[in-house]
Amino acid sequence: MPKAELHLHLEGTISPETLWKMAQKNHVSLPVSTLKELRALYEFESFDKFVSLWQAMCRCFKSEFDYAEMVEGFAKDCRRQNIRYAELHFTPFNHEKFAIGGKRALKIVTKKLEALEKEGGPIVRLITDIPAEAGEKAGEYTARLLEEEKNPLIVAIGLGGPEAGFSRKKFTPYFERARKAGYFCVAHAGETAGFSHVREAIIDLKAVRIQHGVRAAESQQTLRLLKERNICCDVALTSNLCLKVVKKLSDHPLKKLLAAKIPVTLNTDDPPFFNTDLVQEYTLAHQKIGLNLRELWEINLNGLRYALCEVAVRRRLMLEFEKKAPAAQTN
Ligand SMILES: [Zn+2]
């Protein structure tokens, strides 16, 4: 079926093959000596191992070509899985330390994504994240960038990076500025920290969607808040499993969110790093959580209903989806 995905990070889509190519070209040493070893390094074992791989990857961004390669790899994966629409998190602040800087990186990524849309897709909109661990400096940088940008693809400000120990509410002034500049607000909350972060994201940051949000299931009051405000949670099952939010998928709170009538979407977050893709996430939701095809199709449509793109784009995609997935609709 044609699919929409609302929660994945561009830097988190780099496959071992693309990373290997970038490292070779730029003469960057990786903590492994063969592509086979690099593939093994991608097997998620602990958050520390994940961070060391992430840092090695960051050292590979040297030129415009590397950013174009990253987008090309992402687009190829979308086409393989028939992902027609995606909202992609990108964090320019983190790229300030690399060779071409955050703003130029954003420009290259945008140019490449615009060209892809013209060539038939996927259609992609961007969410510009503040990395929570970098605090006020990153908040200021991101708010200012959004105020100054005339980027046609950015639809929202986001809050990414590690969640536990980093209050959501602290970022309120930057979210306020982005909202005044015309952007939507979304935020990571309720994955590695509890439901209070979901509340802060909704009440203080005025988030219209929550990335993850699954720990809201621990609080009836928070579930009610999500339902009343019609806020969609962009759930990532395998990411939750790898980061030990749940011990096994059959314990996952997705069903609780659905029972509370909260709209959800299914997502990959950082697909190769968690050794998953969107097809696998749908398969897991069916096999391990017991959702039927009708429920999965509704979840897929949520990816358009709660998308932050222009209405005309959303409507066009909805008509396209309806036409192309009759079997899933009737089952
Ligand atoms: Zn995420």
Side-chain angles (χ1 to χ4, degrees):
M1 63 186 187
K3 287 178 281 302
E5 175 162 24
L6 301 182
H7 174 189
L8 80 166
H9 302 260
L10 179 57
E11 302 91 330
T13 64
I14 297 184
S15 66
E17 292 71 24
T18 304
L19 181 57
W20 183 253
K21 207 157 123 186
M22 280 163 70
Q24 298 280 302
K25 186 184 81 64
N26 294 329
H27 309 288
V28 173
S29 71
L30 291 171
V32 290
S33 43
T34 63
L35 175 58
K36 197 176 160 206
E37 283 172 20
L38 183 60
R39 284 199 193 104
L41 194 65
Y42 266 69
E43 296 288 323
F44 189 93
E45 279 159 14
S46 68
F47 193 66
D48 287 347
K49 191 180 160 196
F50 172 81
V51 170
S52 81
L53 175 61
W54 192 270
Q55 285 166 345
M57 177 192 77
C58 288
R59 289 197 300 273
C60 290
F61 289 110
K62 297 281 186 198
S63 69
E64 293 189 356
F65 174 83
D66 302 317
Y67 289 89
E69 271 295 284
M70 171 167 69
V71 175
E72 195 43 65
F74 155 77
K76 206 169 131 195
D77 235 39
C78 286
R79 291 192 206 109
R80 176 180 63 79
Q81 300 179 86
N82 202 12
I83 294 174
R84 297 285 297 123
Y85 177 77
E87 272 172 33
L88 200 49
H89 291 257
F90 185 58
T91 313
F93 179 82
N94 286 345
H95 294 269
E96 272 305 308
K97 345 186 230 310
F98 312 139
I100 71 164
K103 285 178 197 163
R104 219 166 110 208
L106 179 62
K107 215 173 179 171
I108 302 302
V109 166
T110 303
K111 227 169 91 183
K112 192 81 190 153
L113 290 174
E114 283 184 308
L116 285 172
E117 186 169 334
K118 277 194 195 116
E119 288 159 17
I123 295 170
V124 181
R125 295 295 176 264
L126 290 167
I127 298 170
T128 310
D129 273 357
I130 301 173
E133 74 281 15
E136 290 171 8
K137 210 174 153 199
E140 177 59 38
Y141 170 92
T142 310
R144 178 163 300 180
L145 180 141
L146 289 174
E147 284 165 344
E148 292 170 357
E149 268 296 321
K150 292 187 187 72
N151 187 308
L153 299 190
I154 302 176
V155 290
I157 186 169
L159 181 56
E163 187 196 348
F166 296 97
S167 139
R168 307 289 90 179
K169 149 160 103 178
K170 199 175 121 191
F171 295 92
T172 304
Y174 313 112
F175 272 65
E176 192 83 27
R177 280 169 60 185
R179 201 169 42 255
K180 279 189 181 152
Y183 300 94
F184 289 106
C185 298
V186 300
H188 281 68
E191 185 192 31
T192 54
F195 61 84
S196 66
H197 269 195
V198 178
R199 300 186 67 80
E200 286 180 20
I202 300 170
I203 294 164
D204 299 293
L205 304 183
K206 308 228 172 3
V208 295
R209 276 204 336 258
I210 304 284
Q211 278 80 51
H212 299 298
V214 294
R215 302 275 300 274
E218 294 161 18
S219 151
Q220 284 302 325
Q221 212 189 2
T222 312
L223 288 176
R224 269 200 302 276
L225 188 65
L226 284 164
K227 160 97 176 28
E228 276 163 19
R229 303 205 183 184
N230 193 29
I231 290 174
C232 178
C233 290
D234 300 323
V235 174
L237 297 174
T238 305
S239 166
N240 290 167
L241 192 64
C242 287
L243 297 179
K244 300 189 170 48
V245 181
V246 289
K247 280 204 183 80
K248 48 186 196 311
L249 281 181
S250 49
D251 296 338
H252 196 280
L254 178 61
K255 276 217 148 175
K256 278 191 187 157
L257 296 182
L258 290 171
K261 303 218 175 314
I262 291 158
V264 300
T265 59
L266 287 174
N267 306 274
T268 55
D269 210 359
D270 302 297
F273 293 87
F274 296 131
N275 194 21
T276 191
D277 63 17
L278 195 55
V279 173
Q280 179 163 305
E281 295 300 304
Y282 274 85
T283 308
L284 290 172
H286 179 55
Q287 291 177 348
K288 305 281 180 189
I289 303 196
L291 302 189
N292 62 36
L293 293 181
R294 176 78 220 176
E295 288 167 314
L296 293 175
W297 176 244
E298 280 300 310
I299 285 175
N300 188 36
L301 287 182
N302 283 343
L304 296 178
R305 291 174 185 138
Y306 294 87
L308 302 177
C309 60
E310 312 87 293
V311 174
V313 172
R314 177 169 48 228
R315 186 63 197 145
R316 180 154 52 82
L317 285 165
M318 284 187 109
L319 292 172
E320 180 191 316
F321 275 36
E322 276 168 26
K323 249 187 251 159
K324 287 188 184 164
Q329 271 181 301
T330 49
N331 268 302

